[in-house]
Amino acid sequence: MQGKVYFIGAGPGDPELITVKGKRLIEQADLILYTDSLVSEEVVANTKPGAVVEKSAGLALEEIVERMVQAAQKGGLVARVHTGDPAVYGAILEQIVQLNEAGIEWEIVPGVSSVFAAAAVLGAELTVPELTQTMILTRAEGRTPVPEGEQLRDLAKHGATLALFLSASLIDKVVSELREAGWSDDTPVAVVQKATWPDQMVLRSTVGKVASEMKRLGIRSHAMVLAGRALDPKLQWSREHQSKLYDKTFAHRYRRAVADTDGKGEGG
Ligand SMILES: C[S@@+](CC[C@H](N)C(=O)[O-])C[C@H]1O[C@@H](n2cnc3c(N)ncnc32)[C@H](O)[C@@H]1O
């Protein structure tokens, strides 16, 4: 019987942030191929006797797929472990295409993306009521081009929370595009390098200061840049932006509203 390939999200670093399912599959796998320096060795430490564990950073796409196909054709279970969530900048599509061509079954097991790990480290809600209800996950354009209409200066015009992957070394460009989009220099920006790793670094800054502060701290890679008004640390001490979800005058499926004494509620 033919085996199967699982694309598994390892989470951002902390080995406890992998899903129960991802952990179980790694423990059962015959071949474990894991990506780059952002997957902790601890995540792939518990494997069954005889399992092959290999880093994929030095391998070409064809070599990776060849290993997976061979193992699956022998009936093996393959754990292809990616950092964060495999669906975000995981380069899984090109692997999926070749697995389909080879007739190998596959499945994706999601993981905690670094965007959410960074938000957790910062204690931030990224969708703050009445401030922004939208998040944009993107990257600055560097050697890898972004499609027409997805330039940062266009996306930033929405005023939504921005999560910038793969952009730490392009911070000067990020700042100039945010300014072009009309963002003021005091707009909050937070940077988390190696979120949830023992050597994690957190920088709370602004559009005006973030580039020089990142350079001073030597943050050039492995960093999540979160920008926008939702990143204002003062929000954690303000009652201004409260959701309707727990508003006692706001009825919804699971709760009846109490009498609205000042007439502003939405019924009950
Ligand atoms: C190739 S992408 C992979 C993203 C991954 N699939 C995810 O969901 O987080 C690598 C980029 O993700 C971000 N990243 C991944 N892990 C991170 C972490 N632990 N802390 C901060 N940023 C991280 C950085 O922007 C890094 O340049």
Side-chain angles (χ1 to χ4, degrees), residues 12 38 83-85 88-89 113-114 165-166 192 194-195 222-224:
L38 281 172
T83 173
D85 184 280
V88 189
Y89 302 110
S113 175
S114 55
F165 292 76
L166 299 157
V192 185
K194 296 196 79 177
H222 298 343
M224 173 55 55

Side-chain angles (χ1 to χ4, degrees), residues 206-238:
T206 58
V207 167
K209 293 189 184 143
V210 69
S212 62
E213 289 179 347
M214 279 176 75
K215 283 175 201 155
R216 182 172 52 79
L217 294 169
I219 303 178
R220 286 192 52 79
S221 63
H222 298 343
M224 173 55 55
V225 179
L226 293 172
R229 290 173 297 166
L231 276 307
D232 186 345
K234 291 200 290 293
L235 290 172
Q236 291 176 3
W237 300 94
S238 160

Side-chain angles (χ1 to χ4, degrees), residues 12 57 62 64 67 81 92 155 169 194 196 198 210 236 238 263:
E62 283 66 28
I64 293 169
R67 282 165 171 71
V81 186
I92 55 170
L155 300 178
S169 64
K194 296 196 79 177
T196 79
V210 69
Q236 291 176 3
S238 160

